[in-house]
Amino acid sequence: MATQSLKELGTAALAASALFVTFGSASAFQDDGTIVICSIEPLSGVGTALGAPNYYGKQIAVDEINAAGGIEVGGKKIKFKLISEDDQTKPEQGVPLFRKCAESDRALVITGSQYSRVTESMWGLLQKRLGDSSDVGLQVPSMSFLSMKAGITSVSPWAFRNAGNEPAQHELTMKLMEDRFGPFKHYSGAIEANEAHSVAAWKAAYSPALERRNTKPSEYVEWYETDRDFSVQIRKLKRADTDFLILSSHFQANVGALLEAQRQGFKPKMIVSHIGADAIEMIDLGKKASEGIVFPTAIHMAFPEPKVKWLAEEYQRRTKEKYMPQFVGLGYEGIMIIKDAIMKAGIENTPDSLAVDRRKVRDQLAAVKNYKSFAGMTLSMNENRDIERPIYLVRIQDGQFRLYWTPDRGFLF
């Protein structure tokens, strides 16, 4: 049922995309009372379970802003128009969509994508040297609310991210698990070799963390997110007596690998993963094989803030999904951060002012400091144009994604 719902999310988003493409684009300025924001994410194919929730978080934020009358620009109320595009988790699809958003749709800001391999390719179109007239790259602020590859914003000074510091996330995750369940003797890694985020997580986060512990992987295996046979890799991990498994992989491969591990009777003492595990399919398809996995999160529906509860309920109302993955909250929060930057930028929102407006918004995003998030935290943009945010942990327990550890309360169960 959950998988079908996510397909429905993608279908609805694609329908919205077609509508906006037909009636939007270059004239979408004060004459029709809108500020254009592009939203690029996977809404069909392998990445739908991550892209669709993020899109819905953005859409809920835009609907809320517009229901309140929009924002004031030049003495009049202006509403947001969210143009939705489907990159299908493919760089060759995302790149032309990014250019379309920048040039044809003339978006003030472009948001997305979710998969780092797509985001990095799209951001390759951006200007590399800020203010350099000889650098003819696109000059439009772009913010990803999910891409986790360490250092990805270094592609361009126009690139921003609201996702989290992955090396810090995984160092904390490993330390907390070691303190509570260790010591561990045999650490092993399983890496999704075709996904930039998963490879970068291993190289920039997990591998250095192991080096700091003066240990090397007892076993190292690779697979692709679309693989269906994991028997050889699981057999290797089992033979290595792995008791701490690092699953640097998204839910698609995770589920298949975990089911194979269950078949072979392989159950490490601890399994940690990255945010790609935050998809309802981990439970719906993986069932008991996914029990006990721990991964970091930025926002969880169990947060006590009333606005988080409201967002979870609104997401459930629109999608019939009972669990709200962090991608919904990050999408909602990201649009609100952009809204705040636009309001402070003093834009004119006319066809002639677009280039200047984009630079103003870009500079405001770079200057984000002590922003009060709806989720009850204070956020600031660092020098790498990454939002610095607290780290929380989730554990799959009793068929649920349960909030497991928080900075202020420690372990919750």
Side-chain angles (χ1 to χ4, degrees):
M1 182 178 295
T3 303
Q4 182 61 39
S5 296
L6 287 169
K7 288 181 180 178
E8 291 171 358
L9 300 189
T11 301
L14 287 171
S17 173
L19 178 66
F20 286 134
V21 169
T22 301
F23 296 102
S25 83
S27 64
F29 293 96
Q30 281 194 342
D31 57 340
D32 71 352
T34 60
I35 290 172
V36 176
I37 297 177
C38 255
S39 175
I40 305 175
E41 51 263 313
L43 299 173
S44 62
V46 69
T48 307
L50 306 184
N54 196 245
Y55 166 76
Y56 265 87
K58 298 177 191 180
Q59 187 64 65
I60 292 170
V62 168
D63 289 348
E64 181 182 358
I65 292 167
N66 289 344
I71 65 174
E72 187 170 307
V73 176
K76 65 181 294 188
K77 285 287 189 176
I78 304 294
K79 293 187 177 182
F80 284 4
K81 176 177 286 187
L82 189 67
I83 297 180
S84 175
E85 300 286 4
D86 177 16
D87 64 44
Q88 300 176 17
T89 328
K90 300 175 182 177
E92 65 271 22
Q93 181 79 1
V95 168
L97 289 176
F98 193 87
R99 185 175 291 281
K100 172 183 175 292
C101 284
E103 296 178 345
S104 300
D105 297 323
R106 308 189 75 190
L108 180 63
V109 180
I110 302 175
T111 66
S113 181
Q114 277 63 64
Y115 279 74
S116 296
R117 64 175 181 261
V118 183
T119 303
E120 192 168 32
S121 297
M122 295 193 308
W123 284 354
L125 297 175
L126 292 170
Q127 186 184 54
K128 306 300 186 296
R129 299 178 299 278
L130 189 65
D132 184 347
S133 59
S134 67
D135 185 336
V136 296
L138 296 176
Q139 299 176 46
V140 53
S142 180
M143 193 171 192
S144 172
F145 307 148
L146 196 56
S147 292
M148 290 298 297
K149 181 180 177 181
I152 193 172
T153 52
S154 64
V155 170
S156 168
W158 291 87
F160 298 86
R161 190 168 59 162
N162 179 35
N165 183 326
E166 188 158 55
Q169 287 180 353
H170 296 309
E171 172 58 39
L172 178 64
T173 303
M174 292 177 68
K175 182 180 185 304
L176 289 171
M177 295 306 99
E178 289 165 335
D179 289 348
R180 192 168 207 198
F181 299 106
F184 298 98
K185 294 181 179 179
H186 303 288
Y187 295 77
S188 294
I191 289 75
E192 194 173 36
N194 69 317
E195 217 302 297
H197 163 214
S198 296
V199 173
W202 177 260
K203 292 181 177 179
Y206 292 121
S207 186
L210 292 177
E211 290 176 4
R212 287 191 291 271
R213 289 159 173 77
N214 294 315
T215 188
K216 293 182 179 180
S218 297
E219 186 56 81
Y220 173 95
V221 300
E222 294 183 346
W223 51 56
Y224 287 180
E225 63 191 350
T226 54
D227 281 353
R228 293 295 178 265
D229 182 6
F230 303 87
S231 57
V232 173
Q233 295 97 320
I234 295 300
R235 192 172 297 112
K236 288 182 177 180
L237 294 170
K238 183 179 180 180
R239 288 173 177 170
D241 292 328
T242 301
D243 56 1
F244 192 110
L245 177 59
I246 296 168
L247 203 57
S248 190
S249 183
H250 289 77
F251 75 93
Q252 298 95 333
N254 285 353
V255 168
L258 291 168
L259 289 172
E260 176 60 25
Q262 184 180 60
R263 188 189 71 81
Q264 292 192 25
F266 170 55
K267 186 68 175 178
K269 191 176 178 182
M270 174 56 55
I271 305 177
V272 299
S273 191
H274 59 47
I275 65 169
D278 195 9
I280 194 65
E281 283 78 3
M282 285 287 292
I283 291 173
D284 283 356
L285 302 178
K287 302 187 183 304
K288 290 188 179 299
S290 66
E291 283 282 303
I293 290 179
V294 176
F295 60 87
T297 191
I299 296 170
H300 193 277
M301 60 185 293
F303 282 7
E305 286 71 25
K307 195 72 174 182
V308 175
K309 181 180 179 181
W310 169 84
L311 181 63
E313 290 174 348
E314 181 64 16
Y315 178 69
Q316 181 178 358
R317 185 185 71 79
R318 297 189 184 205
T319 67
K320 306 300 185 281
E321 296 286 344
K322 293 183 179 180
Y323 173 65
M324 183 186 80
Q326 61 187 298
F327 317 128
V328 181
L330 287 169
Y332 177 90
E333 180 184 77
I335 290 294
M336 292 304 183
I337 291 173
I338 288 171
K339 171 202 169 189
D340 189 66
I342 292 173
M343 292 177 66
K344 291 178 179 178
I347 66 171
E348 296 181 24
N349 201 46
T350 68
D352 292 339
S353 70
L354 181 60
V356 174
D357 288 348
R358 284 173 167 175
R359 176 59 190 265
K360 288 179 178 179
V361 174
R362 181 261 165 217
D363 291 347
Q364 286 297 326
L365 287 173
V368 169
K369 188 175 179 61
N370 297 327
Y371 174 83
K372 303 300 181 183
S373 166
F374 83 105
M377 59 195 76
T378 301
L379 308 175
S380 296
M381 191 75 70
N382 67 21
E383 60 183 7
N384 298 319
R385 296 176 304 284
D386 284 329
I387 288 287
E388 293 283 358
R389 56 187 316 118
I391 301 167
Y392 304 83
L393 299 187
V394 170
R395 184 182 176 104
I396 297 178
Q397 188 83 14
D398 301 323
Q400 299 181 56
F401 292 96
R402 296 180 62 186
L403 187 60
Y404 186 43
W405 183 90
T406 71
D408 55 335
R409 298 168 62 192
F411 286 101
L412 303 182
F413 62 92

